[in-house]
Amino acid sequence: EDKVVQSPLSLVVHEGDTVTLNCSYEVTNFRSLLWYKQEKKAPTFLFMLTSSGIEKKSGRLSSILDKKELFSILNITATQTGDSAIYLCAVLYYNTDKLIFGTGTRLQVFP
Amino acid sequence: DAGVTQSPTHLIKTRGQHVTLRCSPISGHKSVSWYQQVLGQGPQFIFQYYEKEERGRGNFPDRFSARQFPNYSSELNVNALLLGDSALYLCASSRGGGRGPEAFFGQGTRLTVV
């Protein structure tokens, strides 16, 4: 059965810390891996990764995909309280727009 | 540009009732997908529609149905509501057809079944 597993499930850090969130997957017909940030309701799109080894970067956030080992990481440097959210990893299938999500990592950043 | 809009934002229904949730995609997006998110879990795929045709269906009972209209908006219908249907229902839109698969989500409809 296809699955996406995220770790850790929960993370508590202080402002300024650097965090690494993990996402591994076992999915047939893999097309891309996507990261989302969910604060209250709507998941907000962060990155889409299709090729191995190419880092995507946006401000303090960066992400990379390893298609051989079937995992991705999301790094957040110099964390701020506004980074507190649930971070969701999802895999996109070929031929549909279906996403299969992990359970998410709840990040709490304290001042 | 307006984002993905969903209505209503909150809804309380009684067991056995029927509910209709609505979604308007981003202008220019022809693909709409529906997800159910229960507390503490990631969203779970229910349906995907592209150009008014069903392109994917998740592991949900036949009480769940959906359709897409000529203007690409969509409805999700749930019949014979159960307590376990209480969840956040999310709609996602994308260009579809291989032209940019990034999915953008609406704010969701919080459904409570009592």
Side-chain angles (χ1 to χ4, degrees):
Chain A
E1 184 180 333
D2 292 346
K3 61 181 178 181
V4 176
V5 179
Q6 293 187 244
S7 65
L9 293 181
S10 182
L11 200 51
V12 179
V13 300
H14 290 288
E15 272 191 318
D17 289 350
T18 293
V19 298
T20 298
L21 310 182
N22 303 294
C23 175
S24 64
Y25 62 93
E26 294 178 26
V27 174
T28 56
N29 293 322
F30 173 92
R31 180 178 183 182
S32 302
L33 186 143
L34 290 82
W35 285 96
Y36 289 88
K37 177 183 181 182
Q38 187 174 30
E39 292 179 84
K40 299 229 172 148
K41 283 189 174 182
T44 304
F45 174 79
L46 295 175
F47 297 112
M48 185 177 74
L49 304 153
T50 303
S51 301
S52 268
I54 299 176
E55 185 183 53
K56 292 267 182 115
K57 197 170 173 64
S58 176
R60 297 176 293 104
L61 277 66
S62 63
S63 184
I64 197 161
L65 173 67
D66 186 328
K67 291 171 74 172
K68 182 180 176 185
E69 300 297 330
L70 307 183
F71 78 91
S72 174
I73 60 172
L74 175 68
N75 283 315
I76 308 175
T77 59
T79 52
Q80 302 171 357
T81 55
D83 295 326
S84 297
I86 296 172
Y87 289 84
L88 295 165
C89 167
V91 169
L92 178 68
Y93 287 84
Y94 263 113
N95 298 324
T96 76
D97 287 341
K98 173 183 176 180
L99 291 167
I100 178 171
F101 283 86
T103 53
T105 293
R106 178 179 292 276
L107 174 65
Q108 294 176 277
V109 182
F110 288 97
Chain B
D1 276 346
V4 180
T5 57
Q6 291 187 244
S7 62
T9 55
H10 295 85
L11 203 52
I12 299 175
K13 290 286 191 178
T14 304
R15 276 178 298 176
Q17 285 189 314
H18 162 270
V19 68
T20 297
L21 311 182
R22 295 177 175 85
C23 172
S24 292
I26 294 170
S27 177
H29 284 193
K30 297 182 178 181
S31 176
V32 171
S33 299
W34 288 94
Y35 292 82
Q36 180 196 66
Q37 187 177 24
V38 299
L39 201 61
Q41 298 293 319
Q44 187 172 359
F45 175 78
I46 310 175
F47 286 109
Q48 187 230 336
Y49 279 78
Y50 175 65
E51 289 280 16
K52 292 158 283 183
E53 290 188 3
E54 182 182 302
R55 292 296 184 92
R57 173 184 285 253
N59 188 24
F60 280 81
D62 291 343
R63 300 184 295 107
F64 289 76
S65 63
R67 55 181 177 166
Q68 186 176 35
F69 299 99
N71 66 353
Y72 303 109
S73 67
S74 178
E75 282 182 355
L76 175 70
N77 295 284
V78 187
N79 293 322
L81 286 166
L82 304 174
L83 294 179
D85 295 330
S86 295
L88 179 66
Y89 288 85
L90 294 163
C91 172
S93 84
S94 59
R95 295 188 185 277
R99 295 174 297 134
E102 300 96 320
F104 297 90
F105 285 84
Q107 290 293 319
T109 294
R110 172 78 62 190
L111 173 65
T112 303
V113 182
V114 297

